[in-house]
Amino acid sequence: MTKLKTILPFLCFTLFTAFAARAQQPLAKGAWQARLHRADGADIVFNVEAAEKNGHTVWYILNAGDRLLVDDIQEQQDSIFIKMPFFDSEFRAARQPDGTLKGLWIRHLASQDVSIPFTAAPGIKERFTQHTPAKGDVSGRWATYFTAPGKNNSSFAVGEFKQQGNKVTGTFLTATGDYRFLEGIMDGDTLKLSTFDGSHAYYFTARLTGRHILEQGVFYAGIGNTTEAWTARKDANAALPDETKLAGIKPGQSRLNFSFPDINGHQVSMSDARFKNKVVVITIMGSWCPNCMDETGFLSKWYEQNKQRGVEVIALAYERTTDFERSKKSLSGFMKRFDIKYPVLITGVTSADPQRTEKTLPQLTAIKGFPTTIFVDKQGNVKEVHTGFSGPGTGEHYEQFKTDFNRLIDEMLSE
């Protein structure tokens, strides 16, 4: 009995030490396959690369050519907490005995939290399982129509895809922005594409008929059971409306007149001396908006390289809440990640407010989408208004945007 009393504490300590050692083992480095498990069975799949940076585990979420750094990862015994850098979302998961993760992806919305089951497995590089070699090539430009359930009218987009072997990358361009980096495969005659960035969680599938038609398409969006039907026809001339014609300055108006607080509560006005006799770029954005993230990445670097030329940038933020402190918290992380040095102002009006234009910029005809970019000349007059943004996921369209942007700025500076 005495011997058993001696052995039991030793066994308990040994088992506890072994469990603690297992629980504290760092996450496996290298490739992971992650899945968001929708209730309808249409998993949204994406790829992750786990690495070590400055002694800490980080993730890179991979979508086509994009590598989104996620560096706020906390491990507590067998639990792991992964906070996305934008869009107020996070993963909470537990490590399983086989090294996989199982838990939830949680989005913190203005009025409630919503979640979806999440799993991730190390050592898997593929995004989708290839069952059959590709039976066609979807490379090219596609006139695309999305139709929501119960709706008779469709929304128009332009799909642009590149295929190499079975692998497909691309995006959909719309009048108010793009769907960012999509990646997937042609599995036989079936196209499968997905993306995840902490806000966008999308899965597209469709069947290629012949060489020119994509049909039976389903677009699975986000956490709920949201779906849309879609079809597409290959069309090299498919085009979107002119981005400069969707919104503009009202007749009889030429100037903007606004004053909003920055994240420190200091009031900033368009009439401030800082902006006098300068070209000013005003971006209408939100920290919840992936296309705004892309535009901000461009504008922040561009401003640092060009501010000495007599240009300024102002961001007007339309967040998901009217609460100043909550908006400040969301925007502070956004500003830190992109090292923003220009003013970011909190309008106090939500992006979903139907009167957002009238309450903030009544001189405009409408705010049609996020981001919207307003170009103001050295005399303080609105020169152009651009709705939407073609980000790096659009390839040549992004390069064309940069060329057009710089040409317009050069013209305005020379006036």
Side-chain angles (χ1 to χ4, degrees):
M1 186 70 175
T2 303
K3 186 176 181 181
L4 183 61
K5 287 182 178 179
T6 304
I7 293 173
L8 278 175
F10 174 76
L11 286 174
C12 290
F13 175 77
T14 302
L15 289 170
F16 173 79
T17 303
F19 172 78
R22 179 184 68 80
Q24 294 301 319
Q25 286 295 315
L27 289 175
K29 301 301 187 291
W32 287 67
Q33 183 195 72
R35 291 176 175 267
L36 303 178
H37 300 278
R38 287 169 52 102
D40 57 13
D43 289 358
I44 298 173
V45 186
F46 59 97
N47 300 111
V48 172
E49 179 187 315
E52 187 172 309
K53 186 176 182 180
N54 300 324
H56 298 282
T57 298
V58 298
W59 271 14
Y60 293 93
I61 293 180
L62 310 177
N63 295 290
D66 190 45
R67 291 168 57 87
L68 176 61
L69 172 64
V70 181
D71 55 6
D72 189 348
I73 298 178
Q74 305 295 325
E75 299 180 60
Q76 297 177 10
Q77 294 185 350
D78 65 340
S79 298
I80 183 166
F81 304 91
I82 304 168
K83 185 173 178 57
M84 295 297 295
F86 316 109
F87 316 131
D88 206 8
S89 75
E90 62 180 313
F91 295 95
R92 297 177 187 174
R95 284 195 269 196
Q96 306 301 302
D98 61 357
T100 61
L101 295 177
K102 184 177 182 179
L104 296 172
W105 175 48
I106 304 167
R107 294 196 69 187
H108 303 290
L109 304 180
S111 59
Q112 63 178 333
D113 289 352
V114 294
S115 63
I116 185 173
F118 154 79
T119 59
I124 303 176
K125 292 184 177 182
E126 69 179 11
R127 200 176 192 92
F128 298 101
T129 300
Q130 189 81 41
H131 300 96
T132 308
K135 295 181 180 178
D137 193 323
V138 295
S139 297
R141 195 170 177 88
W142 297 77
T144 308
Y145 298 87
F146 290 93
T147 306
K151 301 289 185 181
N152 293 323
N153 59 319
S154 300
S155 59
F156 180 72
V158 176
E160 289 205 338
F161 310 125
K162 293 181 180 179
Q163 183 174 337
Q164 293 184 334
N166 297 325
K167 305 295 184 182
V168 182
T169 58
T171 194
F172 291 100
L173 299 96
T174 75
T176 56
D178 63 271
Y179 282 47
R180 305 192 76 244
F181 298 87
L182 303 180
E183 180 178 349
I185 62 172
M186 277 296 294
D187 187 12
D189 62 1
T190 301
L191 173 65
K192 299 177 181 179
L193 295 167
S194 67
T195 190
F196 176 79
D197 58 21
S199 177
H200 288 160
Y202 295 158
Y203 171 40
F204 300 85
T205 183
R207 181 171 173 268
L208 179 63
T209 302
R211 297 172 57 191
H212 302 290
I213 300 294
L214 284 165
E215 60 182 9
Q216 302 173 25
V218 184
F219 167 32
Y220 301 92
I223 286 175
N225 287 324
T226 304
T227 62
E228 292 186 11
W230 66 280
T231 60
R233 175 177 49 82
K234 186 173 282 191
D235 182 356
N237 298 314
L240 295 168
D242 186 339
E243 63 184 9
T244 68
K245 306 299 183 185
L246 297 175
I249 200 80
K250 288 180 178 177
Q253 302 284 343
S254 63
R255 296 170 177 262
L256 300 178
N257 181 23
F258 61 78
S259 181
F260 301 111
D262 63 17
I263 65 167
N264 297 313
H266 301 138
Q267 213 62 22
V268 176
S269 171
M270 187 63 192
S271 60
D272 290 348
R274 172 177 179 173
F275 310 113
K276 189 174 183 180
N277 297 321
K278 291 184 178 180
V279 169
V280 182
V281 178
I282 301 168
T283 174
I284 295 172
M285 51 76 71
S287 63
W288 50 269
C289 164
N291 292 133
C292 302
M293 175 182 72
D294 287 336
E295 187 192 44
T296 299
F298 165 78
L299 282 176
S300 181
K301 293 179 181 178
W302 181 88
Y303 178 65
E304 283 300 294
Q305 295 167 355
N306 290 274
K307 60 185 178 181
Q308 75 284 354
R309 299 174 63 200
V311 296
E312 292 290 344
V313 177
I314 306 172
L316 301 183
Y318 296 72
E319 294 298 292
R320 284 201 167 112
T321 173
T322 58
D323 182 271
F324 183 88
E325 291 302 320
R326 287 186 64 184
S327 297
K328 175 181 177 179
K329 181 181 178 181
S330 297
L331 287 163
S332 295
F334 192 87
M335 294 175 66
K336 182 179 179 180
R337 174 56 68 99
F338 289 110
D339 193 26
I340 300 174
K341 300 295 176 55
Y342 51 79
V344 177
L345 312 184
I346 299 176
T347 64
V349 175
T350 68
S351 57
D353 191 328
Q355 291 188 304
R356 62 195 180 201
T357 310
E358 292 83 355
K359 291 179 179 179
T360 56
L361 298 172
Q363 299 85 13
L364 291 185
T365 55
I367 298 172
K368 294 278 191 177
F370 293 84
T372 291
T373 313
I374 305 169
F375 297 85
V376 179
D377 66 20
K378 290 187 288 187
Q379 289 72 45
N381 298 313
V382 173
K383 181 85 170 182
E384 284 190 14
V385 179
H386 291 200
T387 299
F389 181 76
S390 296
T394 68
E396 64 183 37
H397 299 285
Y398 179 58
E399 297 304 317
Q400 187 61 51
F401 153 76
K402 291 189 287 186
T403 298
D404 294 343
F405 181 96
N406 284 301
R407 180 168 55 240
L408 178 56
I409 295 296
D410 290 345
E411 291 174 358
M412 295 170 71
L413 286 172
S414 66
E415 289 178 346

